[in-house]
Amino acid sequence: MTAEIICVGTEILLGNIVNTNAAYLSERLAALGISVFFETTVGDNPERVEEVIKTGMKRSDILILSGGLGPTKDDLTKEIAAKACGQKLVEDAEAKERLTSYFTSIKRPMTDNNLKQAMVPEDCTVLYNGNGTAPGMVINGPEGRKVVLLPGPPSELIPMFHEQVEPILSKLQPGILYSKVVKIDCLGESYVETQIMDLIDEQSNPTVAPYAKLGEVHLRVTAKADTEEEAKELVMPMVEELRSRFGNKIYTIEEEETLEEVVVKMLKQKKETIAAAESCTGGLLAARLINVPGASNVLNESFITYSNEAKMKYLSVKEETLKEHGAVSEETAREMAEGVLKTSGADIGVGITGLAGPGGETGTKKPGLVYIGVCRGGHTEVKKYDLKGNREKIREVSVCRALTMIRKALAD
Amino acid sequence: MTAEIICVGTEILLGNIVNTNAAYLSERLAALGISVFFETTVGDNPERVEEVIKTGMKRSDILILSGGLGPTKDDLTKEIAAKACGQKLVEDAEAKERLTSYFTSIKRPMTDNNLKQAMVPEDCTVLYNGNGTAPGMVINGPEGRKVVLLPGPPSELIPMFHEQVEPILSKLQPGILYSKVVKIDCLGESYVETQIMDLIDEQSNPTVAPYAKLGEVHLRVTAKADTEEEAKELVMPMVEELRSRFGNKIYTIEEEETLEEVVVKMLKQKKETIAAAESCTGGLLAARLINVPGASNVLNESFITYSNEAKMKYLSVKEETLKEHGAVSEETAREMAEGVLKTSGADIGVGITGLAGPGGETGTKKPGLVYIGVCRGGHTEVKKYDLKGNREKIREVSVCRALTMIRKALAD
């Protein structure tokens, strides 16, 4: 069963708002096992809306439209969808009743264009709106097609879809879709893909799909079956196969879990605390850790030591080290990690120093050169990275690499 | 002239990511005076990508595609677009050279699938990628059509579009479009909109369009004329009108300038330094300031003082203050700002303490409650904010508010 999402609204095409409805609907439809092959956004223009609906009705079983159900002249989605399904509009008594009592309750007169919202196609299920005035509807279109009309505001669309549309759609669907995501934090996308080329080549059910994320690669394993149990039985052996290939490069197989959450969880389990001394990343590592609720159990303090003076003052980095090797060096990263551990009394100390650019290169040291030191249990490891990209990307990837190093230090 | 945006990526259709590229491209194309009538998202499926490209080539002058340029087998956008334009792929020497030196620099072997990225359609302008491996391209298609291929990651797409594609597209346009953006950092979108409703109602040339950004509102003033000079003469009186309405709530009218850049510039001009003590924002303020190249002139050090102990140890926040008023209080924010100024020897001290949630509420203190203190020249101002949203949003908006307070303190 295939669905197509059609968002109606000139404000989206002008870039005034980001289309979060499309992402929400996509995710929910995927969870229902309904394949979404196309998403289209079109402005409030009758001819173009009609063109998109007609194209969709040729190629998809279900059309989900959002927006254009309001009372204004621009709101024409319902009229066009009804026409495309060969249906007339009729007044829905309950919709009219709800509109009337709404306007009574807010003590405003109801204008004629508001009444337009009580008109619905002849053969449809009306979806009453608990969070706004425009009702939604599921039109029974030709050849068993369903055309779902939803209001544009996410605060109205989300509860209406979840509470009223999902039960209808799940009944149309044979089978269940189940998926797991395998998250890898220290290998590149193309390397990961060459390692699983054989699995991708022979895939049918389950499928394996790689997604490149900032500093990470996610592999999504998805299977379809009659029951969730059966689908899970197809997915899990593939997850195990990926585990045997990537081992401890995998940091989680939990959908919602981030790398920083894994690190905070490991710290909590070991009852250890962490403190960082950040130079080029300037607080980004601490900020990512602190974005995990409950991070206060594992991070009490952290430093941004941007100047040489601050590195000496708070971390006891030696003046000779800075003079001989420079602020961006293995030696400085090591002394930063060891120094912040001592100053803070934390169990793990992290030092990050690098050139994020643009400019600032000295001799062989070019933007992208980053040293990260991690000190734990009397042992300090320092790694050198040559990162690509602009200032922001170099800083963000540095944080990813630091999180991976912390994760590995904690796994020892 | 009309354009159509086509985003390629199954991960968008699965709802794994929100399509921010579409919003960015829409806004930039609107600023170039190019009308976008359709945006389509399609998965990594050759037949469906081809269908969408063919449909687009029938109805739009310019197709802008994002995604599917990577080295993996799923990445087929270039191959399909070249075929739709009736062109073969040929190796681009510079692209190959760049790929080779990239892999040499990161000391990883270049696999054959990476070399695929050096292949480009016969008749195109290659867009070299400063922030990733996949080059983009502007294909000269049939009947004067342009097919623009861009990499999917926003950190690669945005600079490539802005620096390389916009100059090409603006030459295709008759007349000149000139726009200025007026950036406001301390008023809400709906308030700003009501203040300029009369301007929006009567607009034709120039136009004024509001865009809500995180913690900011941007007003884009755009005019079209035969020459840049004439367009500018239409735009600037409107900019002056907005200046007279919003005054010092406007922090810049420079396209590329961010709020943190304005703050760093003001600090440099006044030869002052800044240091922060961050609790709930955990390094985000310092990280934003340090993302400005040359921030080392104005920020030497900064603190993340998450625990009460750290607040006392580094900032000399009094134990009684924490006991009597709590860590999230006007008094603590004041002592943090004053303490970090003293410890660091900086000219401006900033203290941020708040509840980012979820959970952690005590009595009347609910998530979203944030106190920000700014101390400069012997005077400390503390403001209380009740922010909405999830943990991440509360933290990010707190940083916006702090930057605004610093900007105002520096303007005195």
Side-chain angles (χ1 to χ4, degrees), chain A residues 12-20 23 26-27 30 36-43 48 51-52 59 188-190 193-194 197 200-201 210-211 213 220 279-284 286-287 290-293 295-296 299-307 310 313-314 343-344 358 386 388-393 395, chain B residues 10-19 23 26-27 30 36-43 48 51-52 59 71-74 102 105-106 108 111 113-114 130-131 155-156 210-211 280-284 286-287 290-293 295-296 299-307 310 313-314 343-344 358 391-392 395:
Chain A
I12 307 173
L13 292 182
L14 287 171
N16 289 357
I17 56 166
V18 175
N19 192 350
T20 54
S26 298
E27 191 179 333
V36 177
F37 288 156
F38 301 95
E39 274 172 20
T40 307
T41 301
V42 61
R48 289 193 284 272
E51 177 186 338
V52 170
R59 63 190 181 187
E189 189 197 9
S190 62
E193 190 168 321
T194 54
M197 202 58 94
I200 291 180
D201 279 345
Y211 295 99
K213 307 278 174 181
R220 182 170 292 278
S279 190
C280 63
T281 52
L284 282 180
I290 291 180
N291 205 37
V292 180
S296 55
L299 191 149
N300 293 314
E301 58 192 74
S302 202
F303 293 82
I304 293 140
T305 50
Y306 210 42
S307 70
K313 184 170 157 193
Y314 300 106
T343 303
S344 66
D386 284 300
K388 300 291 164 208
N390 62 13
R391 184 175 178 86
E392 199 175 343
K393 188 162 179 203
R395 297 172 72 222
Chain B
T10 303
E11 71 278 18
I12 307 172
L13 292 182
L14 286 171
N16 290 359
I17 57 168
V18 175
N19 193 349
S26 298
E27 184 179 341
V36 178
F37 287 156
F38 301 95
E39 275 171 19
T40 307
T41 301
V42 60
R48 290 192 284 271
E51 176 186 340
V52 170
R59 63 190 181 189
T72 78
K73 282 204 308 185
D74 277 353
Y102 172 77
S105 77
I106 61 163
R108 282 212 211 145
T111 54
N113 55 5
N114 284 115
N131 303 290
S155 62
E156 302 176 28
Y211 292 91
C280 64
T281 54
L284 281 179
I290 291 180
N291 205 37
V292 180
S296 54
L299 191 150
N300 293 315
E301 58 192 73
S302 202
F303 293 82
I304 293 139
T305 49
Y306 211 42
S307 67
K313 182 170 159 193
Y314 300 106
T343 303
S344 67
R391 183 175 179 86
E392 199 174 343
R395 298 173 71 220

Side-chain angles (χ1 to χ4, degrees), chain B residues 56-63 85 139-147:
Chain B
M57 286 181 71
K58 275 183 222 146
R59 63 190 181 189
S60 302
D61 303 315
I62 302 165
L63 303 196
C85 292
I139 309 175
N140 300 306
E143 296 164 33
R145 286 196 163 70
K146 300 286 177 191
V147 180

Side-chain angles (χ1 to χ4, degrees), chain B residues 5-262:
Chain B
I5 297 170
I6 299 169
C7 300
V8 182
T10 303
E11 71 278 18
I12 307 172
L13 292 182
L14 286 171
N16 290 359
I17 57 168
V18 175
N19 193 349
T20 56
N21 284 342
Y24 168 79
L25 293 168
S26 298
E27 184 179 341
R28 297 305 309 161
L29 288 162
L32 286 165
I34 297 170
S35 303
V36 178
F37 287 156
F38 301 95
E39 275 171 19
T40 307
T41 301
V42 60
D44 302 303
N45 172 287
E47 290 76 31
R48 290 192 284 271
V49 172
E50 190 173 354
E51 176 186 340
V52 170
I53 292 178
K54 282 188 174 164
T55 304
M57 286 181 71
K58 275 183 222 146
R59 63 190 181 189
S60 302
D61 303 315
I62 302 165
L63 303 196
I64 315 257
L65 288 98
S66 76
L69 296 185
T72 78
K73 282 204 308 185
D74 277 353
D75 295 307
L76 287 166
T77 304
K78 182 170 63 187
E79 288 72 6
I80 298 164
K83 189 181 150 199
C85 292
Q87 296 188 27
K88 280 187 207 139
L89 293 176
V90 295
E91 193 172 85
D92 181 76
E94 184 170 346
K96 188 182 176 182
E97 164 62 29
R98 280 169 171 259
L99 271 172
T100 312
S101 64
Y102 172 77
F103 279 94
T104 308
S105 77
I106 61 163
K107 295 190 180 98
R108 282 212 211 145
M110 182 165 69
T111 54
D112 280 352
N113 55 5
N114 284 115
L115 260 185
K116 182 168 102 93
Q117 293 184 297
M119 302 295 285
V120 303
E122 295 161 291
D123 183 12
C124 80
T125 305
V126 182
L127 312 169
Y128 299 105
N129 187 341
N131 303 290
T133 57
M137 50 218 84
V138 180
I139 309 175
N140 300 306
E143 296 164 33
R145 286 196 163 70
K146 300 286 177 191
V147 180
V148 182
L149 309 186
L150 299 167
S155 62
E156 302 176 28
L157 177 141
I158 290 173
M160 186 181 284
F161 187 82
H162 182 62
E163 291 159 20
Q164 302 187 64
V165 181
E166 286 187 27
I168 295 173
L169 297 185
S170 66
K171 276 187 208 143
L172 302 176
Q173 275 290 84
I176 290 282
L177 212 81
Y178 181 84
S179 81
K180 271 279 182 195
V181 67
V182 172
K183 301 186 182 179
I184 295 169
D185 66 347
C186 38
L187 297 171
E189 191 199 11
S190 61
Y191 177 81
V192 168
E193 217 176 305
T194 55
Q195 297 299 305
I196 57 165
M197 203 54 97
D198 58 320
L199 303 176
I200 290 180
D201 278 345
E202 66 198 24
Q203 69 181 6
S204 61
N205 194 22
T207 56
V208 185
Y211 292 91
K213 306 278 175 183
L214 187 80
E216 307 184 10
V217 181
H218 296 181
L219 298 175
R220 183 171 291 281
V221 183
T222 308
K224 198 166 193 169
D226 288 338
T227 66
E228 182 170 326
E229 202 58 29
E230 286 172 66
K232 215 168 173 172
E233 272 170 32
L234 291 165
V235 165
M236 293 318 288
M238 180 62 87
V239 170
E240 287 314 311
E241 177 60 33
L242 294 172
R243 264 196 211 280
S244 76
R245 293 189 187 199
F246 296 107
N248 65 6
K249 307 274 192 278
I250 296 169
Y251 71 84
T252 190
I253 60 163
E254 296 305 321
E255 185 74 44
E256 298 294 320
E257 200 166 51
T258 61
L259 182 52
E260 56 269 29
E261 282 170 353
V262 168

